[in-house]
Amino acid sequence: MPALKSPGLILRKTPYSESSFILKAFTRESGLITFIAKGAKRPKSKFRGLIDSFNLLQFVYPEKTRSDMVTLTDAHFLEDFPRLKTDLVKQAAGHVLLEIFLRYLHGQERSLPLYRMLLQGLRNLDAGQGEEVWPGLARFVLEFSGVSGYSPQFSACHVCGGGLSAISTAFDVDQGGALCRDCRGANPRAHTELSGEVVQWLDSLQGGSTRETHSSAPSSSAMRQGFAFLMTYLGRHGGGEKRIKSLEFLEQVRAE
């Protein structure tokens, strides 16, 4: 039977029987796929040491199958993310990123932009300086929203294009944009209130190097608030807010 070869990343690994694992993976050639790695728990398995959430692998699997579960016939190491494996906070953040991707991914079709975004998201977290993981996670959610077609607007009022307050800004979650004071007053719907610090930080993450940078980094509290808002926004536009269990573990290890 013809075999496919595709680079990909494991999103979730679940024990199956005494010797095997079920893998949810996102591959460049097939999109979201469910593998069964038979015998992977055995000491002499060819998968030993390979099947890890923070390894980029070359998966080898049948081109066609009658089952929704595809037998993984071989795997080869391509790249790893060493800091995500050794730093507990970064590791927890990496699992948050993978869980967000899996929980909010709609459909199983191949998507090169999504594959590249997932891979780059892990690279960014791995390479990030210090203990702050919120920039890498927030940037990932912003990019995921953009690729999915519901990117938020932080740079100007989404109604009139006017400037925003540096102190506090109203954000229309349903419409996906910030509001200036005049447009906020003319719009009776409920809005989410964000501090100017949060809005400017999210705008800088979204715009990258093409926009003016801040003279000082935002506080850890502002970054956490900004990420929490993005998760609310993602839930509103991505099919309902979902509990991200690994986020609870991240909060726990950061507090220790």
Side-chain angles (χ1 to χ4, degrees):
M1 181 180 295
L4 284 177
K5 295 181 179 180
S6 177
L9 291 152
I10 296 170
L11 305 177
R12 185 173 65 203
K13 179 174 73 174
T14 306
Y16 181 77
S17 75
E18 294 183 357
S19 61
S20 304
F21 286 106
I22 300 295
L23 310 175
K24 278 286 188 182
F26 196 80
T27 65
R28 187 182 67 189
E29 302 303 325
S30 302
L32 185 65
I33 190 167
T34 302
F35 289 121
I36 178 169
K38 295 181 179 179
K41 293 181 184 178
R42 294 172 182 153
K44 295 184 179 181
S45 170
K46 59 186 174 183
F47 299 126
R48 193 80 172 179
L50 285 176
I51 297 177
D52 184 274
S53 298
F54 304 123
N55 282 341
L56 175 65
L57 300 176
Q58 178 87 318
F59 294 108
V60 183
Y61 51 98
E63 184 176 5
K64 294 183 179 180
T65 179
R66 296 180 180 180
S67 172
D68 292 335
M69 191 180 300
V70 180
T71 298
L72 184 63
T73 56
D74 209 347
H76 307 284
F77 175 83
L78 296 176
E79 179 184 346
D80 71 348
F81 311 96
R83 294 180 184 86
L84 298 186
K85 294 181 178 182
T86 58
D87 184 305
L88 188 57
V89 172
K90 284 183 175 289
Q91 184 180 123
H95 283 295
V96 170
L97 186 153
L98 295 175
E99 188 176 354
I100 289 172
F101 188 87
L102 181 59
R103 297 276 281 165
Y104 285 97
L105 185 66
H106 296 295
Q108 299 181 355
E109 68 278 2
R110 174 183 181 272
S111 171
L112 188 56
L114 282 174
Y115 169 77
R116 287 174 173 169
M117 182 195 70
L118 176 62
L119 179 56
Q120 191 59 49
L122 290 174
R123 286 172 174 165
N124 289 342
L125 275 179
D126 189 69
Q129 299 298 315
E131 296 183 353
E132 285 298 354
V133 294
W134 303 124
L137 290 175
R139 186 178 289 110
F140 178 79
V141 176
L142 284 168
E143 292 176 355
F144 188 90
S145 299
V147 171
S148 301
Y150 41 82
S151 182
Q153 166 67 274
F154 297 104
S155 59
C157 176
H158 82 95
V159 176
C160 71
L164 304 174
S165 168
I167 300 174
S168 180
T169 297
F171 194 94
D172 188 332
V173 177
D174 290 331
Q175 296 299 313
L179 293 165
C180 66
R181 290 178 179 177
D182 291 342
C183 292
R184 174 186 181 179
N187 191 329
R189 294 190 306 181
H191 307 116
T192 298
E193 199 73 24
L194 298 174
S195 71
E197 183 183 24
V198 169
V199 171
Q200 290 171 20
W201 178 62
L202 294 176
D203 186 39
S204 70
L205 289 178
Q206 195 172 48
S209 60
T210 62
R211 298 187 185 178
E212 183 180 356
T213 57
H214 302 299
S215 58
S216 60
S219 66
S220 180
S221 175
M223 289 190 284
R224 178 65 184 90
Q225 290 170 23
F227 176 73
F229 167 76
L230 288 178
M231 291 304 297
T232 298
Y233 180 84
L234 180 61
R236 184 72 62 87
H237 293 271
E241 197 162 357
K242 299 173 174 63
R243 179 187 175 193
I244 305 299
K245 296 180 181 179
S246 50
L247 183 58
E248 298 170 11
F249 179 67
L250 173 60
E251 298 280 17
Q252 179 182 339
V253 296
R254 278 179 55 84
E256 292 178 353

